[in-house]
């Protein structure tokens, strides 16, 4: 079929349209060679982006963050993407589409991925200013602009999208109302009792919920821009209104060109995603399969795969409907619905569990014979979602007492799990990205043994994230099967994770490695557990790290309070809080560097690094730096490095707050803090973000309303943008939150795990982190702050302690029995400074290093 | 000299060919080496890393780490792997057996080991 050029036109570049294109490229990496010429038409000004996570736009994500398109994807030969391109007509006889600018494009195969549009009820006044819909990034931009002057906002529609949208309004700091026509929230997914619990959860968060409210008109308000008048003449005043009352398929082109339409709208498709015209496919929200339309992305992807397979001449793949189970976190509240949530199956029976104290509601629906699970509703806590969804979809046998599936586990009793072994390899664990149990198994066999690795290798859990607990379970089971040790033991000496060891040290007041090893470990220890223990002991007690019983635990950098370089010499970095330094300070550094013939370089962390110091020179160099008012910059430690900053409102004409002042304060507060890995901060005085705070572990950006706090960013090997965790904080609030954040990281991270990887592996993700740090959900806040205060109160300048202790100072020499220098450390000049000589240069210089060669 | 030390010294001696057996040199006081740490001694122009473990057992081997071309092993962390005592190079973290000098990650590389013993609180090494 494909030996002649086939022209494919895809109308729509949303999530599903883009997914179709990805599938096509996967099948035919070289479109040219496959004789394909593809044109993609997108009506929006930008290529496909993640509409599922649209609300994150309000918590700091940018349009680029949301983009689904890898750079260069649409630049390949044989593929053309046209943006701002809207189709006005399909001519099925001529096989052409016409754009609104009258361009005519011929096609051999046409794929309609036109999606849907937001339904706006026909209410008088719905076209007034500051009335919005919630669908595109342009919609969000308009909402953001309006939100700046608004005090309150109303969402019309209490469904899934409506609640997402309410979160957005809340994030914008508006007094938020949800107005729903039906008698309960999320009427499609949730039953009456569940709706009640959901409502009190949502109201707890400060959102006003109005159900059974039919809006009849929107008119001028007395206290706000609009007044919404309801059917019973009650009213509500608000500054902005967002309609989110459901979606309707974009089937108008299909209708006009005479394609068959489903009973409730949508382009009718068969099992191959073909419309009534076999040269035209329809996929995603615009399509209707057996009169069913699907407003979720997973079925859309499934249709895209089916259409792509069929187009490529394969007829084995068919679309067979979709499981509409969903799990979401709406404003921090777990909401999940599985299968027949409303119990519509004849003869079915249900079990329910309600906890009105913690606002949790769970229900399962079982078949008449009690053998199969048909559906479930979970509100307030959806931990069992994965198990229940798989049981339903795979028609697995129910345990004897199915009620235990949703009852809270009593002490010492394991909840009946799914027994992932019972799942077939074909079971789809991640329906967003169609990842099966078998695929997870293969990924584990290929060596991906952490949830982070599984995510990046299989893409499982990277869309909605609902399947992550189940995927983790399957990964661990697979590791056991392959004989891998499923443990997070630090090393052969300690059968504990770093987190567990931290806990033991704190609870049992352990202060030395020997004590820890004696009580909880075996053997002598090694270069893994010793530095880890040293770091934990320092985080908890903050004793001088070169004390006799601690010194032998330190990595070479900590052991000599400098960074070891490739030739065994060290570099010296004095602290310059916030990058601030006096002229006298700079002169002193220059003089010291000159005296000891050190190579100097300004670092990325805005301070000066001095290279080429021999071990025996270190105490003398420090002494002179201390005399000039400097202290250790901890450039060698897994500890706070620098707080990068701009000059802020002090100097800058754009600055809105004193970023340099806060940076200096933060650096002085957290200096010397030992952590699982190094920590970097950034503080910017305005949203121009010159300090690059969003690339740091902790970032602060000044706004007119206070400081915005970002966490878990990273440059380095795998750059990651920091995420907004709290907004509009005072300086004092920001410091308390950072205290908690850092201590929580120090407590729970693995060894050598930066905050970004820690965050990526944190079950529950950013929402969980925000709950713990900002909302103090674990009740740990005061304890974490107190611990940080202990560390701050016990700070000492390690260089000063070292040079003043004769015993410690004695260790800073190359040889225990000689004052000679290590002759293998040789420098040559380059660009008017020293650098280490290469092995060749050492040979040519006839320098014979003092060493024994191996044979 | 304990039995263990004698055994280690014997092991070390067996790793050397007869021509390499040399004279004994006093290097430092035992207290100059903190427990579970190392020092470097310069003996007859050779850099020798000497380690003292917590049971006061002493080990001596080349200070030169061939993987990094640097004289750094005395600054490494000591411990054990599967019961075998090792030092980890501070540069690229290769492990060397204290007893034999063999590199754990690359058995084709082996450092020279030296006899070392304690006489009246003074550490002696044979080079």
């Amino acid at each position: 079929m494909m030996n002649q050029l086939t022209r494919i036109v895809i109308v729509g570049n949303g999530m599903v349209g883009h997914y179709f294109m990805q599938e096509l490229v996967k099948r035919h990496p070289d479109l040219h060679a496959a004789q394909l010429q593809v044109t993609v038409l997108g009506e929006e000004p930008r290529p496909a982006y993640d509409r599922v996570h649209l609300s994150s736009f309000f918590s700091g994500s940018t349009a680029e963050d949301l983009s689904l398109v890898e750079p260069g994807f649409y630049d390949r030969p044989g593929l053309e993407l046209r943006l701002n391109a809207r189709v006005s007509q399909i001519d099925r006889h001529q096989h052409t589409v016409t754009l609104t600018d009258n361009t005519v494009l011929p096609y051999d195969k046409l794929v309609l991925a036109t999606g849907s549009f937001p339904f706006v009820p026909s209410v008088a006044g719905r076209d007034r200013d500051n009335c919005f819909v919630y669908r595109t990034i342009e919609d969000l931009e308009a909402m953001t602009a309006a939100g700046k002057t608004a005090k309150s906002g109303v969402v019309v529609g209490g469904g899934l999208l409506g609640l997402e949208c309410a979160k957005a309004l809340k994030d914008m700091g508006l007094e938020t109302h949800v107005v729903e026509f039906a008698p309960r929230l999320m009427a499609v997914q949730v039953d009456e009792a569940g709706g009640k619990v959901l409502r009190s959860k949502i109201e707890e968060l400060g959102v006003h919920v109005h159900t059974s409210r039919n809006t009849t008109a929107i008119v001028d308000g007395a206290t706000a821009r609009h007044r919404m008048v309801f059917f019973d003449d009650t009213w509500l005043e608000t500054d902005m209104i967002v309609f989110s009352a459901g979606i309707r398929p974009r089937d108008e082109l299909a209708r006009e060109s005479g394609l068959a339409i489903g009973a409730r709208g949508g382009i009718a498709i068969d099992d191959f995603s073909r419309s009534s015209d076999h040269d035209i496919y329809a996929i995603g929200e615009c399509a209707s399969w057996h009169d069913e339309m699907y407003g979720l992305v997973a079925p859309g992807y499934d249709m895209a795969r089916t259409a792509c397979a069929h187009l490529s001449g394969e007829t084995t793949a068919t679309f067979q409907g979709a499981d509409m189970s969903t799990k979401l976190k709406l404003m921090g509240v777990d909401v999940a619905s599985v299968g027949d949530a409303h119990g519509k199956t004849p003869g079915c029976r249900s079990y329910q569990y309600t906890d009105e104290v913690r606002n949790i509601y769970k229900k399962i629906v079982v078949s008449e014979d009690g053998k199969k699970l048909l559906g479930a509703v979970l509100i307030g806590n959806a931990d069992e979602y994965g198990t229940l969804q798989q049981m339903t979809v795979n028609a697995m046998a129910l345990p004897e007492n199915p009620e235990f599936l949703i009852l809270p586990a009593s002490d010492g009793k394991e909840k009946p799990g799914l027994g992932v072994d019972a799942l077939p390899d074909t079971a789809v664990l991640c329906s967003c990205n169609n990842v099966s149990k078998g695929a997870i198994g293969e990924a584990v066999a290929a060596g991906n043994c952490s949830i982070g690795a599984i995510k990046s290798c299989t893409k499982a859990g990277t869309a909605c994230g609902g399947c992550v607990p189940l995927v983790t379970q399957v990964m661990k089971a697979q590791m056991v099967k392959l004989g891998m040790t499923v443990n997070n033991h630090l090393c052969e000496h300690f059968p504990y994770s770093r987190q567990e060891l931290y806990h033991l040290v704190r609870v049992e007041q352990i202060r030395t490695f020997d004590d820890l090893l004696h009580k909880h470990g075996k053997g002598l220890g090694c270069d893994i557990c010793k530095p880890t223990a040293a770091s934990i002991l320092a985080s908890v007690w903050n004793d001088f790290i070169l004390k006799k019983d601690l010194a032998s635990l330190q990595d070479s950098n900590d052991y000599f309070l400098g960074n070891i370089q490739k030739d065994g010499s060290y570099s010296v970095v004095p602290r310059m809080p916030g990058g601030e330094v006096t002229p006298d300070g700079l002169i002193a550094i220059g003089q010291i560097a000159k005296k000891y013939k050190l190579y100097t370089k300004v670092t990325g962390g805005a301070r000066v690094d001095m290279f080429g110091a021999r071990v025996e020179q270190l105490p003398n160099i420090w002494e002179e730096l201390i005399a000039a008012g400097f202290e250790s910059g901890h450039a060698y430690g897994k500890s706070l490095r620098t707080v990068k900053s701009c000059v802020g409102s002090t100097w800058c004409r754009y600055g809105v707050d004193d970023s340099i002042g806060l940076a200096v304060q933060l650096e002085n507060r957290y200096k010397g803090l030992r952590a699982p890995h190094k920590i970097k901060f950034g503080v910017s005085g305005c949203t121009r973000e010159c300090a690059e705070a969003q690339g740091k572990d902790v970032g602060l950006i000044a706004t007119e309303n206070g400081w915005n706090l970002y966490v878990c960013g990273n440059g380095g090997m795998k750059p990651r943008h920091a995420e907004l965790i709290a907004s509009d904080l005072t300086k004092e609030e920001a410091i308390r939150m950072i205290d908690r954040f850092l201590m929580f990281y120090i407590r729970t991270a693995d060894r050598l795990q930066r905050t970004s990887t820690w965050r990526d592996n944190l079950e529950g993700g950013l929402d969980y982190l925000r709950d713990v740090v900002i909302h103090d959900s674990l009740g740990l806040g005061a304890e974490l702050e107190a611990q940080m205060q202990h560390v701050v109160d016990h700070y000492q300048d390690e260089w000063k302690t070292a040079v003043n202790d004769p015993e410690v100072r004695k260790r800073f020499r190359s040889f225990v029995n000689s004052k000679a220098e290590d002759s293998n450390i040789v420098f040559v000049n380059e660009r008017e400074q020293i650098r280490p000589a290469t092995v060749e240069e050492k040979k040519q210089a006839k320098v014979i290093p003092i060493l024994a060669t191996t044979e | 000299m304990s039995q263990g030390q004698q055994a280690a010294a014997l092991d070390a001696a067996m790793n050397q060919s007869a021509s390499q057996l040399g004279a004994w040199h006093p290097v430092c006081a035992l207290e100059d080496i903190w427990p579970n740490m190392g020092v470097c001694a310069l003996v007859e122009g050779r850099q020798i890393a000497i380690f003292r473990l917590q049971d006061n057992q002493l080990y001596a081997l080349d200070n030169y780490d061939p993987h990094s071309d640097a004289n750094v092993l005395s600054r490494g962390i000591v411990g054990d792997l599967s019961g075998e005592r090792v030092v980890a190079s501070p540069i690229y973290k290769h492990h060397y057996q204290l007893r034999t000098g063999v590199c754990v990650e690359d058995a084709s590389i082996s450092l020279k080991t030296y006899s070392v013993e304690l006489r009246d609180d003074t550490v002696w090494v044979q080079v």
Side-chain angles (χ1 to χ4, degrees), chain A residues 408-598:
Chain A
S410 53
D411 279 346
K413 264 196 166 174
E414 188 89 358
K415 269 183 89 110
L418 174 60
V420 288
D421 286 343
L423 276 177
D425 269 353
T426 49
V428 173
L429 304 186
C430 170
S431 42
C432 299
N433 288 319
N434 193 40
V435 184
S436 66
K437 183 190 169 195
I440 304 289
E442 283 164 27
V444 172
N448 299 285
C449 296
S450 72
I451 190 67
I454 293 283
K455 276 184 183 175
S456 56
C457 156
T458 65
K459 302 275 174 283
T462 53
C464 79
C467 62
V468 170
L470 190 64
V471 169
T472 310
Q473 237 180 311
V474 167
M475 174 189 81
K476 287 186 175 162
Q478 185 67 17
M479 285 168 69
V480 172
K481 220 184 264 173
L482 294 175
M484 301 182 197
T485 35
V486 185
N487 68 39
N488 40 14
H489 297 178
L490 190 60
C491 64
E492 64 178 70
H493 304 100
F494 288 97
Y496 297 99
S497 66
R498 183 192 169 279
Q499 182 177 354
E500 289 163 336
L501 281 180
Y502 180 93
H503 188 72
L504 290 170
V505 165
R506 213 167 52 84
V507 171
E508 298 180 13
Q509 307 266 309
I510 294 173
R511 283 181 169 263
T512 66
F513 180 75
D514 286 348
D515 197 12
L516 185 65
L517 189 68
H518 176 71
K519 284 188 175 141
H520 301 290
K522 61 171 193 205
L524 301 179
C526 65
D527 57 313
I528 305 288
C529 59
K530 283 183 171 182
T532 305
S535 163
I536 293 173
L537 291 167
S539 297
V540 177
W541 310 118
N542 210 11
D543 288 330
F544 178 49
I545 63 165
L546 298 188
K547 258 176 54 177
K548 207 158 192 169
D549 50 358
L550 296 176
S552 67
L553 311 176
Q554 312 296 344
D555 254 330
S556 178
N557 283 352
D558 273 323
Y559 185 93
F560 286 107
L561 310 178
N563 290 48
I564 196 165
Q565 302 301 326
K566 58 193 286 187
D567 57 353
S569 68
Y570 287 85
S571 79
V572 176
V573 186
R575 187 168 296 289
M576 287 179 188
E580 205 175 67
V581 60
T582 63
D584 281 340
L586 274 179
I587 289 167
I589 285 179
Q591 283 170 339
I592 294 165
K594 200 167 183 178
K595 175 171 169 187
Y596 292 92
K597 298 191 176 64
L598 304 174

Side-chain angles (χ1 to χ4, degrees), chain A residues 20 35 41 88 100 251 255 289 316 333 350 412 468 514 578 589 609 732 771 816 840 846 851:
Chain A
F20 176 89
Q35 295 279 319
L41 304 170
S88 57
T100 44
D251 55 11
R255 282 176 193 271
W289 178 82
T316 46
V333 182
S350 71
V468 170
D514 286 348
I589 285 179
D609 203 341
E732 291 70 30
D771 282 349
V816 70
E840 266 318 295
K846 300 265 189 289
L851 56 85

Side-chain angles (χ1 to χ4, degrees), chain A residues 345-377:
Chain A
T345 312
C348 70
R349 287 174 294 190
S350 71
Y351 296 82
Q352 296 179 14
Y353 166 77
T354 313
D355 173 347
E356 290 192 342
V357 179
R358 291 159 64 215
N359 274 327
I360 291 173
Y361 171 78
K362 297 180 180 186
K363 177 175 89 168
I364 50 174
V365 178
V366 305
S367 59
E368 192 170 9
D369 59 7
K371 290 195 173 136
K372 297 275 185 271
L373 187 65
L374 301 176
V377 177

